[in-house]
Amino acid sequence: MALPDGVQYRTFDGEERLATRGEPVYGEPVADGWRAWDAHRSKVGAMYELGMEPGLDAGDHVLYLGAANGTTASHVADVAGPTYAVEFAARPMRDLLSVAETRGNLFPLLKDARNPETYAHVVEDGLDLLVQDVATRGQARVARANRQFLSDDGRLCLAIKARSEDATREPDDVFADVLDDLREGYEILDSRRLDPFHADHLAVVATPR
Ligand code: SAM
């Protein structure tokens, strides 16, 4: 799998690690302007480690749903162009705002990803990539509601958390249902479980249909 420009394996303390170039955010090792991308703390990072192609290219215009305190959104913004980062909880948003201070292309939005009409006036259309990592019920519904921002050949990079849908069912059964729902709006290109980095999570790469 080819890594996009701006994502490389670099050596930190003698260890080869996935990395992007930018200001450090969460205490990750830095060397020569590069910062290690911790796949245990980032589903997109785990996707690279597992050989998936999340659909991120240098300079991409990105909408990121569920940005939390910016761990992954910061790495994405190191690589991408304009990166709109939606998060609905005020506490992580405070951290996200300081992460954005050193990244002129990262735009935090204190919004609910289930209501895209509340940020449609800010986020541009025709985006290259929609990254979604919202630990909430109805993850396929959120992805379908935000499909409107993607260009026809854009990519959805989705991390599905089984327990957020239904903590009592087998994760694989939950994933099958979420994928069925997702197919209403997307063609699935790839899907893989994120073990051992993230238990009971399925990563999905898809394109609008
Ligand atoms: N993507 C982050 C990372 O890798 O650094 C971690 C995201 S965390 C697993 C899920 C986040 O989604 C939480 O911060 C939560 O507040 C947010 N979230 C859940 N439902 C949401 C919604 N409907 N709209 C916006 N954010 C939401």
Side-chain angles (χ1 to χ4, degrees), residues 47-188:
M47 289 170 77
Y48 282 119
E49 295 286 6
L50 293 170
M52 292 182 81
E53 291 195 14
L56 173 64
D57 284 313
D60 272 357
H61 294 216
V62 177
L63 174 59
Y64 192 115
L65 305 176
N69 48 14
T71 300
T72 301
S74 62
H75 284 292
V76 169
D78 287 347
V79 176
T83 302
Y84 304 92
V86 172
E87 170 57 53
F88 76 170
R91 200 191 161 105
M93 175 55 73
R94 278 204 293 275
D95 295 337
L96 185 61
L97 287 169
S98 55
V99 169
E101 274 172 20
T102 56
R103 290 175 173 81
N105 61 329
L106 180 60
F107 307 113
L109 298 168
L110 183 63
K111 298 287 182 190
D112 188 328
R114 291 168 295 190
N115 302 321
E117 67 280 5
T118 61
Y119 46 85
H121 60 293
V122 181
V123 176
E124 49 189 296
D125 290 333
L127 295 178
D128 304 296
L129 181 65
L130 172 61
V131 182
Q132 182 182 315
D133 181 18
V134 290
T136 185
R137 208 184 173 100
Q139 293 164 91
R141 215 162 42 242
V142 172
R144 285 197 283 109
N146 285 273
R147 174 185 174 281
Q148 58 183 297
F149 298 109
L150 272 180
S151 70
D152 290 345
D153 61 351
R155 290 286 181 274
L156 166 70
C157 169
L158 168 65
I160 303 168
K161 182 175 180 177
R163 265 186 293 131
S164 295
E165 295 293 333
D166 189 336
T168 65
R169 294 178 65 211
E170 277 301 310
D172 281 337
D173 295 341
V174 173
F175 297 144
D177 286 355
V178 176
L179 288 178
D180 274 350
D181 195 349
L182 203 59
R183 284 191 189 94
E184 299 284 316
Y186 292 93
E187 179 191 343
I188 313 293

Side-chain angles (χ1 to χ4, degrees), residues 4-23:
D5 284 350
V7 182
Q8 292 186 8
Y9 278 92
R10 309 279 305 185
T11 306
F12 299 89
D13 296 327
E15 195 188 339
E16 288 273 293
R17 303 206 32 195
L18 196 68
T20 61
R21 255 179 121 82
E23 289 294 315

